[in-house]
Amino acid sequence: MEQNSAWNYKFSSTLNQKIALNPSTGWIYCQDGTAYSPEEYKLITGIKNFPIQIHMIKKIFKGTIIKTPQ
């Protein structure tokens, strides 16, 4: 993953890979090429023990995480 001084980089133990956060836009990019929008990030931050299966499905289908109606 190429480093850019405008981004914050960390290792996600949940995803087992490096992630990059753009503090200006709120977008998160994973080392495997998966990207999370600020809206998606808001939805998943409250999930304790985020299931890796959600990430894998998003990656495989290039999907978007949405809030389901109650």
Side-chain angles (χ1 to χ4, degrees), residues 5-52:
S5 62
W7 292 68
N8 296 327
Y9 297 89
K10 55 174 70 172
F11 183 82
S12 169
S13 57
T14 302
L15 301 177
N16 195 31
Q17 61 185 299
K18 287 184 185 178
I19 60 171
L21 167 66
N22 184 319
S24 300
T25 65
W27 277 85
I28 298 173
Y29 291 91
C30 302
Q31 191 173 11
D32 67 4
T34 307
Y36 289 88
S37 70
E39 294 79 18
E40 290 175 307
Y41 180 70
K42 288 176 192 172
L43 290 173
I44 65 174
T45 53
I47 300 173
K48 194 172 187 172
N49 300 322
F50 179 72
I52 190 68

Side-chain angles (χ1 to χ4, degrees), residues 43 65-70:
L43 290 173
I65 297 172
I66 61 170
K67 185 174 183 177
T68 58
Q70 298 296 324

